[in-house]
Amino acid sequence: MTLHLYNTFLRAKEPFAPIDPSNVRMYVCGPTVYDLAHIGNARPVIIFDVLYRLLRLIYGEGHVTYVRNITDVDDKINAAAREKNVPIAEITAATTAAYHADMAAIGALPPDHEPRATETIPEMVAMIETLIQKGHAYAADGHVLFAVQSFEDYGKLSRRDQDELIAGARVEVAPYKKYPGDFVLWKPSDADTPGWDSPWGRGRPGWHIECSAMSKKHLGVTFDIHGGGRDLIFPHHENEVAQSVCANAAPFARYWVHNGFLTVEGEKMSKSLGNFRTVRQELEKAPGEAIRLAMLKTHYRQPLDWSDDSLKEAREAVGKWYRAYREVTGGAKYEGEASVPPAFAAALCDDLNTPEARTLLDAYAGEVFTAKTPAAKEVALKHLLGAANLLGLLTQGPDDWFHSEKGALEPAEIERLIAARIAARKGKDFAEADRIRDELAAAGVILEDRPGGVTEWRRA
Ligand SMILES: [Zn+2]
């Protein structure tokens, strides 16, 4: 079983061979913490979480290092603080906490390291000094700029020539720039803006140098996988390559993995269109596992159209798989050992073919339903769970899934009414038993009477 990944650098799928199989290293660009995460931010988090789980399966849990940074110094953060009239540290602390809660709610494992830009300033300053010494950067007017013409391979990742690069970057022609395509490594800060002392005066880093410094600190100069959304290929990733290769005189990331764009109900998501959807808003509509499946139904490199219908369909599919799960355990979490079917691992090893993986999950759930004996059902469940868990799905017990879905009645109240109904039936008060059933139905709770006087419930 060999993992194949589409490498943006080659524009081709190729077999993945890590530099050191005992420590597979992956860096993914993390959030700029000025606002709640939206559903577009969640896409790379879920995709690279699946890749992280797959790498851990292949190389062993302790043999993968996943780094995802927090950008906590940025002009968007400064603007948000000014707009809300609160201290910058308050915005970044609250947004980081919300981000952690939201990503946990959609089932993403925390990365092994989550460096903050503000904790990596000395490393950035050192890297900028090296770039100046080597003739790849220059200081001018309190700024330090990277001289893109000093790096022969500039544009290779995004496959643009210099003119396109300048047009694509919509570069600002500033008096301190020697060449319009040069980009900022360091810029001056006034008294009201966060800043650090440096050889070029008090200032703050540009965004691109943050990722070059943080990846080097935690993964070394050359590492295996660098991920992010395809909107980051240019200029962000192109500039990371230029900085890192020139400063370290060594190759940077070997595999560049990028996810496709996301639209909402057929339109580009933007605040002006009013179709901005935060992860929190979507969690109000459906559980985190449904959000994950809605994201993974489409292959990561394809554009994805996020819609209420798609989320509803995903929620129903996960619910069906939990019903299969419940057939075996009666609602409890399965305590046995699950196993990943080889066909499932093979689908994911084919450049994360999650649409195929979803088809297989349906088949495994079908096998649970149709298996004739309890032993055969359990074997099918082991496949279903091993496969689903690799996607971060079916991670709770069936009762937890059916009971945690949002509804008018709390689970404890539902249990109390079910007990009252059972008592009414024992006392031959069928009118009362029916009344309770109707009351629950009106609240969207469906009862299923099982042999042996057991009543199970689920949300409609
Ligand atoms: Zn980055």
Side-chain angles (χ1 to χ4, degrees), residues 9 136 146 148-160 162 165 238-239 241-242 245-246:
F9 198 81
H136 292 292
F146 185 92
V148 298
Q149 287 171 312
S150 74
F151 179 46
E152 201 185 327
D153 285 346
Y154 194 74
K156 260 201 171 169
L157 176 67
S158 55
R159 298 202 176 179
R160 295 172 188 225
Q162 293 283 345
L165 290 172
E238 193 71 62
N239 292 353
V241 173
V245 170
C246 292

Side-chain angles (χ1 to χ4, degrees), residues 15 39 47 161 188 220 322 379:
I39 201 70
I47 285 157
D161 64 29
Y322 270 115
V379 170

Side-chain angles (χ1 to χ4, degrees), residues 27-29 44 48 226-232 237 257-259:
Y27 185 89
V28 175
C29 296
F48 290 102
H226 193 313
R230 65 177 300 159
D231 51 319
L232 298 184
H237 290 164
V257 180
H258 291 103
N259 63 272

Side-chain angles (χ1 to χ4, degrees), residues 22-239:
S22 73
N23 183 19
V24 181
R25 288 162 286 163
M26 174 165 80
Y27 185 89
V28 175
C29 296
T32 300
V33 284
Y34 68 100
D35 207 354
L36 288 175
H38 58 66
I39 201 70
N41 303 132
R43 190 175 189 198
V45 171
I46 291 172
I47 285 157
F48 290 102
D49 182 63
V50 170
L51 180 53
Y52 180 44
R53 290 170 190 262
L54 180 63
L55 292 169
R56 282 156 54 113
L57 176 76
I58 299 170
Y59 298 97
E61 272 195 23
H63 299 291
V64 184
T65 307
Y66 174 22
V67 178
R68 189 182 65 215
N69 70 292
I70 300 263
T71 291
D72 58 353
V73 50
D74 188 277
D75 290 349
K76 283 182 199 146
I77 301 172
N78 303 340
R82 261 196 305 276
E83 196 179 302
K84 293 178 185 161
N85 199 24
V86 294
I88 285 164
E90 199 173 295
I91 295 255
T92 57
T95 312
T96 301
Y99 183 79
H100 286 155
D102 292 349
M103 296 311 115
I106 55 173
L109 299 171
D112 297 291
H113 299 285
E114 197 178 47
R116 279 139 171 89
T118 53
E119 293 167 355
T120 322
I121 301 289
E123 288 85 350
M124 295 178 206
V125 169
M127 200 175 225
I128 296 169
E129 285 188 298
T130 304
L131 288 169
I132 294 175
Q133 277 159 20
K134 292 187 173 184
H136 292 292
Y138 55 94
D141 208 5
H143 293 72
V144 182
L145 291 122
F146 185 92
V148 298
Q149 287 171 312
S150 74
F151 179 46
E152 201 185 327
D153 285 346
Y154 194 74
K156 260 201 171 169
L157 176 67
S158 55
R159 298 202 176 179
R160 295 172 188 225
D161 64 29
Q162 293 283 345
D163 293 340
E164 279 179 307
L165 290 172
I166 293 168
R170 282 191 221 102
V171 289
E172 205 189 330
V173 181
Y176 47 80
K177 282 187 184 180
K178 287 186 185 165
Y179 176 74
D182 292 350
F183 61 87
V184 166
L185 299 171
W186 190 264
K187 55 188 162 188
S189 292
D190 61 25
D192 297 332
T193 315
W196 291 263
D197 289 331
S198 82
W200 320 286
R202 186 174 173 278
R204 61 195 190 281
W207 173 37
H208 316 303
I209 194 72
E210 297 182 3
C211 285
S212 282
M214 287 188 272
S215 60
K216 182 181 180 178
K217 185 175 180 179
H218 294 280
L219 297 175
V221 293
T222 307
F223 54 91
D224 297 298
I225 298 170
H226 193 313
R230 65 177 300 159
D231 51 319
L232 298 184
I233 297 173
F234 187 81
H236 185 52
H237 290 164
E238 193 71 62
N239 292 353

Side-chain angles (χ1 to χ4, degrees), residues 423-436:
R425 288 171 70 171
K426 274 196 181 137
K428 308 265 185 245
D429 187 353
F430 296 110
E432 173 63 5
D434 287 348
R435 190 199 60 75
I436 293 171

